[in-house]
Amino acid sequence: MADYRLDCMGEACPVPLLKTQKKLSGLNIGDVLIVEIDHSCAMKNVPEWARKEGHNVDIEETGDGEWEIYIEKTK
Amino acid sequence: MKLTETNFYQKIVRDPWPYVTGAVLLAILNIALFTATGNPWGVTTPFSYWGAWIWKAIGGHPESWGYFAEGTAHGKALMQQTFLTNGGSIMNLGIVIGALFATLAASQFKIKKIKNIRQVIAAVLGGLAMGYGARIAFGCNVGAFFSGVASFSLHGWIYTIFIFVGAWIGSKLLVKYLM
Amino acid sequence: MANTVNQANTRTASARATAKKRRNQLPFAILLLIGIIIFGFVLNGIGVKLPIYWIFGISFGIVLQKSRFCFTASLRDPVLTGSTSLTKAVLIAFAIASVGFAAIQYSAVQAGNPVPGFVSPAGWHTAIGALLFGIGMVIAGGCASGTLMRVGEGFMMQWLSLIFFVVGSLWGAHDFSWWKATFMTNAPAVHFPSLIGWPAAIFGQLILLGALYLIADWYGNRRSSQNS
């Protein structure tokens, strides 16, 4: 189990979600992916997708208009 | 208790609203706008006026084009109106300012700089394609899609089919060349 | 790695700590609100109808931003990411708007006026224009309303996109006569209720939107169960 970071700062939709999907598919179960974003739409569609897939998700607002999305891969 | 710690602030001002809430409110606003002004919601027609006003100011002659023919609504907008007297332009400015207001109220405003050359290419080509496409299709996702379909017009449904195909082609291009 | 529950707790605690350090932008929002109101009065002096457009624009901007409503995503995500939640929201908006528009159009026609609303010629220009628009909105990361909203959110990429949106619109206006002569003149502007009657058009449209909703719902669930 390890932590991975994915920098999506400055990326517009749908790039953050596509990068997250790609990155997460290569991780092992139990790994945590931390996605850094500053796109207000991605802070909604990335967690929504991850929750729907059944992963554990946590959003943390790290600055003005900046978020870190924690996704723990469960399957 | 500070305002920023109240439940109202967290739920309404800070957190995003559900998509369906947005859908219901946009539909009500579109109906209300139609009732109040006689026309449904559209976004892109004023963009052609902005371009033409600037083009005219720097020495071009858009008034000679068929699109801006005398006696038409477009011709009237070009010759008699300015940014500050054209309702559609004011409404578009309102969308920008309204979004800025909502972002500031949630303390989530941030200037997002252009990250790389791919974003420049995407913005330039995407902007041009949307501008040209919206002119010949009689509207954008708001004017032709949302308001066109709700106006029970055939062109709205044809637009719906082909915007979907276009989005599919755009997705392929984006994944292949721009990511 | 510690287990997730502990991790989550530490994260929440650290989130609170960082949240305190963040700048509160609410005062700027209040200043802007005062500016919005003052500008409304200025517009009232220029033309009585302008404040109406101003208030609607501000409302559209707030709703689009708060709900992260995105027409682009509603058309793009089903093929690209498998999500249909925005597609379903758009169909709901269309259904509600259709009912309201029907009432407005019906009463106008009953009063002997021409059909109000956006009913334009439908033909090859519609298909080609929509194709171009669809490609453009996906690569630029937003359609017209989405670009304006993101301009307000501070996305410099969309500032650039808006400039070229205006250039493209001017270009399209320049070529409009050619498209008109070649495709639009012979293309019919079809208003379904005028063609097949009000009840058939309204119920037909609502049934079609409902069917699309069910397909979107089924597709969204199917995609996510496949991926897992």
Side-chain angles (χ1 to χ4, degrees), chain C residues 9-80:
Chain C
N9 285 343
T10 356
R11 277 205 296 275
T12 322
S14 72
R16 290 209 182 102
T18 44
K20 285 251 162 64
K21 272 185 271 168
R22 294 182 48 225
R23 216 174 31 224
N24 183 5
Q25 297 175 337
L26 203 56
F28 295 103
I30 292 163
L31 279 177
L32 184 63
L33 183 62
I34 296 167
I36 289 170
I37 294 165
I38 291 172
F39 190 62
F41 281 104
V42 172
L43 285 173
N44 195 40
I46 301 172
V48 281
K49 270 207 153 185
L50 291 172
I52 300 171
Y53 287 103
W54 180 235
I55 293 164
F56 271 103
I58 296 287
S59 311
F60 279 127
I62 293 172
V63 174
L64 285 169
Q65 203 282 330
K66 280 322 296 176
S67 61
R68 315 286 197 262
F69 207 84
C70 183
F71 290 99
T72 305
S74 78
L75 294 152
R76 171 199 70 203
D77 286 354
V79 277
L80 200 54

Side-chain angles (χ1 to χ4, degrees), chain C:
Chain C
M1 274 309 299
N3 70 51
T4 2
V5 180
N6 283 341
Q7 248 182 5
N9 285 343
T10 356
R11 277 205 296 275
T12 322
S14 72
R16 290 209 182 102
T18 44
K20 285 251 162 64
K21 272 185 271 168
R22 294 182 48 225
R23 216 174 31 224
N24 183 5
Q25 297 175 337
L26 203 56
F28 295 103
I30 292 163
L31 279 177
L32 184 63
L33 183 62
I34 296 167
I36 289 170
I37 294 165
I38 291 172
F39 190 62
F41 281 104
V42 172
L43 285 173
N44 195 40
I46 301 172
V48 281
K49 270 207 153 185
L50 291 172
I52 300 171
Y53 287 103
W54 180 235
I55 293 164
F56 271 103
I58 296 287
S59 311
F60 279 127
I62 293 172
V63 174
L64 285 169
Q65 203 282 330
K66 280 322 296 176
S67 61
R68 315 286 197 262
F69 207 84
C70 183
F71 290 99
T72 305
S74 78
L75 294 152
R76 171 199 70 203
D77 286 354
V79 277
L80 200 54
T81 69
S83 164
T84 54
S85 46
L86 262 165
T87 316
K88 290 190 281 182
V90 161
L91 291 166
I92 291 171
F94 281 23
I96 298 171
S98 296
V99 174
F101 279 34
I104 296 168
Q105 289 183 333
Y106 182 77
S107 49
V109 172
Q110 288 305 103
N113 296 317
V115 178
F118 291 156
V119 182
S120 303
W124 285 108
H125 55 279
T126 318
I128 298 165
L131 265 181
L132 276 174
F133 198 91
I135 296 169
M137 71 181 186
V138 173
I139 61 176
C143 64
S145 59
T147 298
L148 289 175
M149 163 193 136
R150 288 178 191 114
V151 164
E153 282 187 328
F155 253 108
M156 290 180 83
M157 179 184 172
Q158 259 83 24
W159 299 1
L160 186 66
S161 166
L162 179 61
I163 292 169
F164 282 88
F165 206 138
V166 171
V167 174
S169 301
L170 189 65
W171 188 0
H174 175 265
D175 291 356
F176 191 80
S177 296
W178 183 84
W179 289 94
K180 195 173 174 184
T182 316
F183 294 111
M184 294 170 191
T185 314
N186 295 320
V190 177
H191 178 243
F192 289 117
S194 307
L195 192 71
I196 57 172
W198 289 94
I202 294 168
F203 287 110
Q205 175 137 317
L206 291 179
I207 288 166
L208 185 54
L209 290 170
L212 288 173
Y213 184 96
L214 292 178
I215 293 170
D217 194 45
W218 164 79
Y219 182 80
N221 293 330
R222 189 189 68 119
R223 273 289 288 253
S224 61
S225 53
Q226 243 177 16
N227 287 349
S228 52

